[in-house]
Every structure is written in structure tokens, then in C-alpha cells.
Amino acid sequence: MGVVAGCLDEEPEPKPEPRIEYLEIQNHRHDEGDVFTVLITEHGETVFEDHVELAAGDPRESVVLYEDPVVEPGDYEVVVEVAEHKASVETKQVVSPEEDCLYLDFYLGSTTLHVEYTTWPCDSDATD
């Protein structure tokens, strides 16, 4: 009869493939417009690219909203560049097993390109 001792490590639950439901780009500057470059890549391959000019003025009007910029869930990197500013998000780093849908919001302030995000369970979309 043998005795086995040790510690059994439970594997952490794998993160789901994120789904980008919305990608919003805003210019909050009141004095100058800019051209924003939006790039979504998966494993180094470009799957979405756009260049959009947003005028100066009211941030509620100087905005573009992409709904489902990529159709399938995936391990994406979203990069936005404008003038000398650049911000990026690796989608798999910001979702959880419970909340795998994603709303990304990039906005240019007076000195910085900001990024914020909101997550929720994609399953809840099926009941809407």
C-alpha cells in the first residue's frame, strides 16, 4: 500500500475569446480636429482598419461608433493612434470568464489619448 502526498493545483478557468460589441472613438478637443487611425489585429494579422477624421467641438458630436467591428470573438489587440498619441488594449486581458463582451472607448483629451472599457456577459445579449 502506498501513500501519495502533494498538492493538486487546479487549473485556472481559461479566459473566453472576447467579443468586441462596440468600439467608440471620440475627440474631446475643442480647438482642433484630428485623424484617428483604428487598427484591430489578431495574432499579428490586421482584421480591421479605418482612418476617421473627427472635428473639434462638442465630444457628443465628434464621435464615431463601430458596432461589431469584428464579427467573431477572438484574441484581439485594438490600437488607436492620433497625432503623437497611441493607446492599445489586448482584449483578452480585460475580460473575465463571466464577462466576455466588450465596449471600448478611446477618447482624445487635451494632452492624452485615454481608453476605457466596459464588460458584460455575452450570454445576456441572447435574451435581449
Side-chain angles (χ1 to χ4, degrees), residues 23-26 78-80 86-90 94 102-109 112-118:
L23 172 58
E24 186 171 352
I25 311 296
Q26 301 177 49
V78 180
V79 179
V80 175
K86 181 178 180 178
S88 66
V89 171
E90 292 184 21
V94 297
L102 191 55
Y103 188 119
L104 294 171
D105 182 13
F106 291 82
Y107 60 94
L108 181 61
T112 306
L113 178 59
H114 304 269
V115 61
E116 295 181 358
Y117 62 88
T118 303

CSV table of all heavy atoms in Angstrom, one decimal, residues 23-26 78-80 86-90 94 102-109 112-118:
chain,number,residue,atom,x,y,z
A,23,LEU,N,-16.9,49.8,-30.4
A,23,LEU,CA,-15.7,50.5,-30.4
A,23,LEU,C,-16.0,51.9,-30.7
A,23,LEU,O,-16.5,52.3,-31.8
A,23,LEU,CB,-14.7,49.9,-31.4
A,23,LEU,CG,-13.4,50.6,-31.6
A,23,LEU,CD1,-12.6,50.8,-30.3
A,23,LEU,CD2,-12.6,49.9,-32.6
A,24,GLU,N,-15.8,52.8,-29.7
A,24,GLU,CA,-16.1,54.2,-29.8
A,24,GLU,C,-14.8,55.0,-29.8
A,24,GLU,O,-13.9,54.8,-29.0
A,24,GLU,CB,-17.0,54.6,-28.7
A,24,GLU,CG,-17.5,56.0,-28.8
A,24,GLU,CD,-18.6,56.4,-27.8
A,24,GLU,OE1,-19.0,55.5,-27.0
A,24,GLU,OE2,-19.0,57.5,-27.7
A,25,ILE,N,-14.8,56.0,-30.8
A,25,ILE,CA,-13.6,56.9,-30.9
A,25,ILE,C,-14.2,58.3,-30.8
A,25,ILE,O,-15.1,58.7,-31.4
A,25,ILE,CB,-12.9,56.7,-32.3
A,25,ILE,CG1,-12.6,55.3,-32.6
A,25,ILE,CG2,-11.7,57.6,-32.3
A,25,ILE,CD1,-11.7,54.6,-31.6
A,26,GLN,N,-13.6,59.1,-29.9
A,26,GLN,CA,-14.1,60.5,-29.6
A,26,GLN,C,-12.9,61.5,-29.6
A,26,GLN,O,-11.8,61.2,-29.1
A,26,GLN,CB,-14.8,60.6,-28.3
A,26,GLN,CG,-15.9,59.7,-28.1
A,26,GLN,CD,-16.5,59.8,-26.6
A,26,GLN,OE1,-16.7,60.9,-26.2
A,26,GLN,NE2,-16.6,58.7,-26.0
A,78,VAL,N,-6.4,46.0,-30.0
A,78,VAL,CA,-7.0,47.2,-30.6
A,78,VAL,C,-6.1,48.4,-30.3
A,78,VAL,O,-5.7,48.6,-29.2
A,78,VAL,CB,-8.4,47.5,-30.0
A,78,VAL,CG1,-9.0,48.8,-30.6
A,78,VAL,CG2,-9.3,46.3,-30.1
A,79,VAL,N,-5.7,49.0,-31.4
A,79,VAL,CA,-4.7,50.1,-31.3
A,79,VAL,C,-5.3,51.4,-32.0
A,79,VAL,O,-5.9,51.3,-33.1
A,79,VAL,CB,-3.4,49.8,-32.0
A,79,VAL,CG1,-2.4,51.0,-32.0
A,79,VAL,CG2,-2.7,48.6,-31.5
A,80,VAL,N,-5.3,52.5,-31.3
A,80,VAL,CA,-5.8,53.8,-31.8
A,80,VAL,C,-4.6,54.7,-31.8
A,80,VAL,O,-3.9,54.9,-30.7
A,80,VAL,CB,-7.0,54.3,-31.0
A,80,VAL,CG1,-7.4,55.7,-31.5
A,80,VAL,CG2,-8.1,53.3,-31.2
A,86,LYS,N,-0.8,57.4,-28.8
A,86,LYS,CA,-1.2,56.0,-29.2
A,86,LYS,C,-1.7,55.3,-27.9
A,86,LYS,O,-1.1,55.4,-26.8
A,86,LYS,CB,0.1,55.2,-29.7
A,86,LYS,CG,-0.2,53.8,-30.1
A,86,LYS,CD,1.1,53.2,-30.7
A,86,LYS,CE,1.0,51.8,-31.1
A,86,LYS,NZ,2.2,51.3,-31.7
A,87,ALA,N,-2.7,54.5,-28.0
A,87,ALA,CA,-3.2,53.7,-26.9
A,87,ALA,C,-3.7,52.3,-27.5
A,87,ALA,O,-4.1,52.2,-28.6
A,87,ALA,CB,-4.4,54.4,-26.3
A,88,SER,N,-3.5,51.3,-26.7
A,88,SER,CA,-3.9,50.0,-27.1
A,88,SER,C,-4.5,49.2,-26.0
A,88,SER,O,-4.3,49.4,-24.8
A,88,SER,CB,-2.7,49.2,-27.7
A,88,SER,OG,-1.8,49.0,-26.7
A,89,VAL,N,-5.3,48.2,-26.4
A,89,VAL,CA,-5.9,47.2,-25.4
A,89,VAL,C,-5.8,45.8,-26.0
A,89,VAL,O,-6.1,45.6,-27.2
A,89,VAL,CB,-7.4,47.5,-25.2
A,89,VAL,CG1,-8.1,46.4,-24.4
A,89,VAL,CG2,-7.6,48.9,-24.6
A,90,GLU,N,-5.3,44.9,-25.2
A,90,GLU,CA,-5.4,43.5,-25.5
A,90,GLU,C,-6.6,42.9,-24.9
A,90,GLU,O,-6.8,42.9,-23.7
A,90,GLU,CB,-4.1,42.8,-25.0
A,90,GLU,CG,-2.9,43.2,-25.7
A,90,GLU,CD,-1.6,42.4,-25.3
A,90,GLU,OE1,-1.8,41.3,-24.7
A,90,GLU,OE2,-0.5,43.0,-25.5
A,94,VAL,N,-8.7,42.1,-20.5
A,94,VAL,CA,-9.7,42.9,-19.8
A,94,VAL,C,-11.0,42.2,-19.6
A,94,VAL,O,-11.9,42.8,-19.0
A,94,VAL,CB,-9.9,44.3,-20.5
A,94,VAL,CG1,-8.6,45.1,-20.5
A,94,VAL,CG2,-10.4,44.1,-21.9
A,102,LEU,N,-17.5,43.2,-24.8
A,102,LEU,CA,-16.6,44.4,-24.6
A,102,LEU,C,-17.1,45.6,-25.3
A,102,LEU,O,-17.4,45.6,-26.5
A,102,LEU,CB,-15.2,44.0,-25.0
A,102,LEU,CG,-14.0,44.8,-24.7
A,102,LEU,CD1,-13.9,45.1,-23.2
A,102,LEU,CD2,-12.7,44.2,-25.2
A,103,TYR,N,-17.1,46.7,-24.6
A,103,TYR,CA,-17.3,48.1,-25.1
A,103,TYR,C,-16.0,48.8,-24.9
A,103,TYR,O,-15.6,49.1,-23.7
A,103,TYR,CB,-18.5,48.7,-24.4
A,103,TYR,CG,-18.9,50.1,-25.0
A,103,TYR,CD1,-20.2,50.2,-25.5
A,103,TYR,CD2,-18.1,51.1,-25.1
A,103,TYR,CE1,-20.6,51.4,-26.1
A,103,TYR,CE2,-18.5,52.3,-25.7
A,103,TYR,CZ,-19.8,52.5,-26.1
A,103,TYR,OH,-20.2,53.7,-26.7
A,104,LEU,N,-15.3,49.2,-26.0
A,104,LEU,CA,-14.1,50.0,-25.8
A,104,LEU,C,-14.4,51.5,-26.2
A,104,LEU,O,-15.0,51.7,-27.2
A,104,LEU,CB,-13.0,49.4,-26.8
A,104,LEU,CG,-12.5,48.0,-26.4
A,104,LEU,CD1,-11.6,47.5,-27.5
A,104,LEU,CD2,-11.7,48.1,-25.1
A,105,ASP,N,-13.8,52.4,-25.4
A,105,ASP,CA,-14.0,53.8,-25.7
A,105,ASP,C,-12.6,54.5,-25.6
A,105,ASP,O,-12.0,54.5,-24.6
A,105,ASP,CB,-14.9,54.4,-24.6
A,105,ASP,CG,-15.2,55.8,-24.8
A,105,ASP,OD1,-14.9,56.4,-25.8
A,105,ASP,OD2,-15.7,56.5,-23.8
A,106,PHE,N,-12.2,55.0,-26.8
A,106,PHE,CA,-10.9,55.7,-26.9
A,106,PHE,C,-11.3,57.2,-27.1
A,106,PHE,O,-12.1,57.5,-27.9
A,106,PHE,CB,-10.1,55.3,-28.1
A,106,PHE,CG,-9.5,53.9,-27.9
A,106,PHE,CD1,-10.2,52.8,-28.2
A,106,PHE,CD2,-8.2,53.7,-27.5
A,106,PHE,CE1,-9.7,51.5,-28.1
A,106,PHE,CE2,-7.6,52.5,-27.4
A,106,PHE,CZ,-8.4,51.4,-27.7
A,107,TYR,N,-10.7,58.1,-26.3
A,107,TYR,CA,-11.0,59.5,-26.5
A,107,TYR,C,-9.8,60.3,-26.2
A,107,TYR,O,-9.0,60.1,-25.3
A,107,TYR,CB,-12.2,60.0,-25.6
A,107,TYR,CG,-12.0,59.8,-24.1
A,107,TYR,CD1,-11.5,60.9,-23.3
A,107,TYR,CD2,-12.3,58.6,-23.5
A,107,TYR,CE1,-11.3,60.7,-22.0
A,107,TYR,CE2,-12.1,58.4,-22.1
A,107,TYR,CZ,-11.6,59.5,-21.3
A,107,TYR,OH,-11.5,59.3,-20.0
A,108,LEU,N,-9.7,61.4,-27.1
A,108,LEU,CA,-8.5,62.3,-27.1
A,108,LEU,C,-8.9,63.5,-26.2
A,108,LEU,O,-9.8,64.2,-26.6
A,108,LEU,CB,-8.1,62.7,-28.5
A,108,LEU,CG,-6.9,63.6,-28.6
A,108,LEU,CD1,-5.7,62.9,-28.1
A,108,LEU,CD2,-6.7,64.0,-30.1
A,109,GLY,N,-8.2,63.6,-25.1
A,109,GLY,CA,-8.3,64.8,-24.3
A,109,GLY,C,-7.3,65.9,-24.7
A,109,GLY,O,-6.7,65.8,-25.8
A,112,THR,N,-3.8,63.8,-23.7
A,112,THR,CA,-3.6,62.3,-23.6
A,112,THR,C,-4.7,61.6,-24.4
A,112,THR,O,-5.9,62.1,-24.4
A,112,THR,CB,-3.7,61.8,-22.1
A,112,THR,OG1,-2.8,62.5,-21.4
A,112,THR,CG2,-3.4,60.3,-22.0
A,113,LEU,N,-4.4,60.5,-25.0
A,113,LEU,CA,-5.4,59.6,-25.6
A,113,LEU,C,-5.8,58.6,-24.5
A,113,LEU,O,-5.0,57.8,-24.1
A,113,LEU,CB,-4.8,58.9,-26.8
A,113,LEU,CG,-5.7,57.9,-27.5
A,113,LEU,CD1,-7.0,58.6,-28.0
A,113,LEU,CD2,-5.0,57.3,-28.7
A,114,HIS,N,-7.0,58.6,-24.1
A,114,HIS,CA,-7.5,57.8,-23.0
A,114,HIS,C,-8.2,56.5,-23.6
A,114,HIS,O,-8.7,56.6,-24.7
A,114,HIS,CB,-8.5,58.5,-22.1
A,114,HIS,CG,-8.0,59.8,-21.6
A,114,HIS,ND1,-7.4,59.9,-20.3
A,114,HIS,CD2,-8.0,61.0,-22.1
A,114,HIS,CE1,-7.0,61.1,-20.1
A,114,HIS,NE2,-7.4,61.8,-21.1
A,115,VAL,N,-8.2,55.5,-22.8
A,115,VAL,CA,-9.0,54.3,-23.1
A,115,VAL,C,-9.8,53.8,-21.9
A,115,VAL,O,-9.2,53.8,-20.8
A,115,VAL,CB,-8.2,53.2,-23.8
A,115,VAL,CG1,-7.1,52.7,-22.8
A,115,VAL,CG2,-9.1,52.0,-24.2
A,116,GLU,N,-11.0,53.5,-22.1
A,116,GLU,CA,-11.9,52.9,-21.0
A,116,GLU,C,-12.6,51.8,-21.6
A,116,GLU,O,-12.8,51.7,-22.8
A,116,GLU,CB,-12.9,54.0,-20.5
A,116,GLU,CG,-12.2,55.1,-19.8
A,116,GLU,CD,-13.2,56.1,-19.2
A,116,GLU,OE1,-14.4,56.0,-19.4
A,116,GLU,OE2,-12.7,57.1,-18.6
A,117,TYR,N,-13.1,50.9,-20.8
A,117,TYR,CA,-13.8,49.7,-21.3
A,117,TYR,C,-14.9,49.3,-20.3
A,117,TYR,O,-14.8,49.6,-19.1
A,117,TYR,CB,-12.9,48.6,-21.6
A,117,TYR,CG,-12.2,48.0,-20.4
A,117,TYR,CD1,-12.7,47.0,-19.6
A,117,TYR,CD2,-10.9,48.5,-20.1
A,117,TYR,CE1,-12.1,46.5,-18.5
A,117,TYR,CE2,-10.2,48.0,-19.0
A,117,TYR,CZ,-10.8,47.0,-18.2
A,117,TYR,OH,-10.1,46.5,-17.1
A,118,THR,N,-15.9,48.6,-20.8
A,118,THR,CA,-17.0,48.0,-20.0
A,118,THR,C,-17.1,46.6,-20.5
A,118,THR,O,-17.1,46.3,-21.7
A,118,THR,CB,-18.3,48.8,-20.2
A,118,THR,OG1,-18.1,50.2,-19.9
A,118,THR,CG2,-19.4,48.2,-19.4
